[in-house]
Amino acid sequence: MRVKEAPKMARQQQWVNSDGTRLNVVTEGHPASPVIVLVHGYPDNLTVWDKVAETLSAQWYVIRYDVRGAGRSDRPARSSAYRLPQLSRDLEAVVDAVIPDQTFHLAGHDWGSIQSWESVTSGPLQERIQSYTTISGPCLDHVGYWMRKRFRQPSVKRARQLAKQMASSWYIAAFHVPLLAPLLWTGFVGKRWDQYLARTEQVTEISDNPWQTADGRDGVRLYRANMLPRLTRPNLRYARCPVQLIVPENDRYVGTQLAEDLNKWVPELYRRDIEAGHWVLLTQPARIAGFIDQFARRYEGAVVQTGLEEIRV
């Protein structure tokens, strides 16, 4: 089957209820086209995908949503409301409301990728996800086993990998200190976030985000609800669908070493290393859109250029 370009429709907005939490959902492209769902990370909202979605919507029906605690969606006060099984149910609520019973392709960045692994490796959406593109967001259970291996079977290389990742993840400990992160976001970081992205990530075009301070303040609950339980008590998690791993080589937060051993959990894994920082969605949106498009087309049965076998792990 060939993915055909359908007449593009204007962006549509709707609200979806997930266990009492309202989620802001945006769609663009034509509803008759095959579907790609994009899930954003922290401390972003759905606007981080703007440029990527604009490109993809020419031939795909693109669905995005503000995850709970971000953008225009509701912001539950308790950290327990942000646990991964609930985030997976949020994705399920969105696709059930917008494309009931349809299959779709999935792509996630940062925490959007972390939470999407939950649906890729368990639950009812496994049967509907045709492909998954993950960017800078490993499965926490996989990371838990990755860490165990380096503690239990130490070597010089593994010790260096562990030390490097722990140094990159210093902020996670800070996020667990009561009141610290919310106070920093409210009083300092939120007002200077655009400057930080421009200076450290070379992001030159940043969408106006009136919720930036609130997104950083409230999204901290994602870390508090999930990091320690999953890293210390990981579950066995295997993906059924093909997975495309995009690895930004200059990522300050998610080291390339975390991609090691991933083929143990993903039978059909493809890996692309790209010279970019963590916010590659903002610095190279056209390239990311092209990667997602090419990979998803393959599993739509479309005729595409060969080359994916060269990056299969």
Side-chain angles (χ1 to χ4, degrees), residues 215-233:
D215 290 347
R217 179 196 65 210
D218 298 332
V220 168
R221 299 185 180 104
L222 294 165
Y223 293 85
R224 295 178 177 176
N226 298 293
M227 294 299 294
L228 291 179
R230 289 303 178 98
L231 295 182
T232 57
R233 297 186 298 275

Side-chain angles (χ1 to χ4, degrees), residues 112-125:
S113 177
I114 292 174
Q115 72 178 67
S116 293
W117 278 107
E118 191 80 6
S119 300
V120 168
T121 59
S122 65
L125 291 184

Side-chain angles (χ1 to χ4, degrees), residues 3 50 85 90 92 106-107 116 149 169 171 189-190 214 223 259 290:
V3 179
D50 276 352
D90 289 350
E92 186 178 355
L106 181 63
S116 293
K149 183 175 181 180
S169 302
Y171 57 93
V189 180
Y223 293 85

Side-chain angles (χ1 to χ4, degrees), residues 27-154:
T27 61
E28 50 205 305
H30 198 282
S33 299
V35 180
I36 290 179
V37 179
L38 306 175
V39 189
H40 72 82
Y42 173 88
D44 303 314
N45 56 45
L46 63 79
T47 61
V48 76
W49 287 105
D50 276 352
K51 295 292 185 180
V52 175
E54 181 181 356
T55 300
L56 290 174
S57 62
Q59 295 184 320
W60 298 87
Y61 187 47
V62 181
I63 301 172
R64 295 180 283 163
Y65 64 102
D66 288 325
V67 305
R68 56 179 57 215
R72 299 176 64 190
S73 291
D74 287 348
R75 301 167 181 268
R78 293 186 176 184
S79 293
S80 59
Y82 295 79
R83 289 173 181 156
L84 287 170
Q86 178 61 65
L87 300 178
S88 181
R89 289 195 292 273
D90 289 350
L91 173 60
E92 186 178 355
V94 168
V95 295
D96 281 350
V98 181
I99 50 163
D101 301 321
Q102 285 184 238
T103 59
F104 61 95
H105 302 270
L106 181 63
H109 173 253
D110 188 79
W111 261 96
S113 177
I114 292 174
Q115 72 178 67
S116 293
W117 278 107
E118 191 80 6
S119 300
V120 168
T121 59
S122 65
L125 291 184
Q126 276 191 305
E127 303 298 329
R128 295 170 62 186
I129 299 173
Q130 293 176 278
S131 74
Y132 176 46
T133 295
T134 169
I135 310 169
S136 295
C139 173
L140 294 185
D141 296 274
H142 296 166
V143 175
Y145 281 106
W146 181 89
M147 294 176 65
R148 281 187 181 186
K149 183 175 181 180
R150 277 143 190 80
F151 280 119
R152 294 175 177 179
Q153 303 174 31

Side-chain angles (χ1 to χ4, degrees), residues 144-210:
Y145 281 106
W146 181 89
M147 294 176 65
R148 281 187 181 186
K149 183 175 181 180
R150 277 143 190 80
F151 280 119
R152 294 175 177 179
Q153 303 174 31
S155 68
V156 173
K157 176 186 176 182
R158 289 172 178 168
R160 287 174 178 169
Q161 288 179 330
L162 195 58
K164 182 179 179 181
Q165 186 55 51
M166 292 180 72
S168 298
S169 302
W170 61 269
Y171 57 93
I172 295 176
F175 285 172
H176 283 79
V177 178
L179 301 180
L180 177 61
L183 287 174
L184 286 175
W185 271 101
T186 302
F188 182 76
V189 180
K191 302 172 184 178
R192 296 167 176 81
W193 186 248
D194 288 359
Q195 300 172 34
Y196 174 80
L197 289 181
R199 185 176 66 254
T200 64
E201 299 287 329
Q202 290 72 56
V203 176
T204 56
E205 294 185 28
I206 303 174
S207 299
D208 181 50
N209 179 12

